[in-house]
Amino acid sequence: MRFTDEPRTHCEVSVAAGPGRVWELVTDIGLPARLSPELRRVAWLDGADRPAPGARFEGHNRHRLLGQWRTVSHVTELTPGRTFTWAVTDADGHYGPPTLDPARPMAVWSYTLEAEEDGTRLRQSVRVGPGASGLTRAIERWPDREPDLVAARLAELRAGIRETLTGLKALAETDPGHR
């Protein structure tokens, strides 16, 4: 796979909790910072305090090879109880020219919820690009290794998604009022 193919990955989990409880957790932007191996902290911007179309939040990330960087994410889709999607931009120009354009994101992340007979099916997904990122920097340095670099980054992201979903599932299912 090449970067221009819009590489993406996802994971799903069945949660023994109702969609309302799961939605409450996935729309708490601070929670993934407790669960993710890469995201360290987040904060709403511009006076926002919850997801809404156009709302923005900053994230602070750390990766063993890429170092630390800040992003600004833009909520691009919000269907209460079903879909929460945000585009991540490189506001500080860590990987290229600074941008706050959600049409040229480093990545687009999404949670999708679907009610099941005994709980909720939760899916987290990511599409990398088309904006510059640590992956594009690596591809520029080693263009002959592009498919391997893309595969390795997708594997890292998938592992992080699994960790996050495992944590969300545990939190949702341990709350006594989760049904």
Side-chain angles (χ1 to χ4, degrees):
M1 176 172 283
R2 300 256 180 231
F3 183 78
T4 56
D5 296 331
E6 297 185 358
R8 58 188 75 215
T9 191
H10 72 275
C11 294
E12 294 183 3
V13 64
S14 286
V15 182
R21 173 64 179 145
V22 176
W23 182 252
E24 176 186 322
L25 292 171
V26 301
T27 56
D28 174 357
I29 63 163
L31 190 56
R34 292 177 25 209
L35 305 171
S36 167
E38 201 166 290
L39 182 64
R40 296 293 169 216
R41 70 182 191 279
V42 297
W44 286 108
L45 298 172
D46 312 318
D49 63 356
R50 67 182 54 99
R56 299 181 329 146
F57 58 94
E58 69 178 357
H60 295 267
N61 302 276
R62 184 175 53 225
H63 184 278
R64 62 185 174 79
L65 298 175
L66 302 174
Q68 297 180 34
W69 69 98
R70 181 181 81 104
T71 63
V72 172
S73 294
H74 308 255
V75 177
T76 57
E77 183 182 351
L78 188 74
T79 305
R82 296 207 26 107
T83 306
F84 173 30
T85 303
W86 63 98
V88 181
T89 60
D90 185 6
D92 298 332
H94 191 76
Y95 294 110
T99 182
L100 287 171
D101 182 359
R104 298 278 311 152
M106 300 167 73
V108 175
W109 288 87
S110 188
Y111 286 113
T112 306
L113 288 68
E114 187 176 320
E116 294 184 317
E117 186 175 309
D118 55 352
T120 306
R121 178 59 126 183
L122 175 60
R123 175 186 186 121
Q124 185 178 15
S125 59
V126 63
R127 184 196 76 213
V128 180
S133 66
L135 178 58
T136 56
R137 187 176 276 175
I139 292 168
E140 288 167 1
R141 186 167 181 181
W142 299 290
D144 57 317
R145 297 182 52 207
E146 181 175 0
D148 295 332
L149 293 166
V150 169
R153 184 60 177 146
L154 288 179
E156 278 183 328
L157 293 170
R158 198 168 27 259
I161 290 171
R162 272 195 294 275
E163 244 181 269
T164 300
L165 290 180
T166 298
L168 285 167
K169 176 180 171 68
L171 286 169
E173 292 177 351
T174 58
D175 176 9
H178 73 277
R179 289 230 174 238

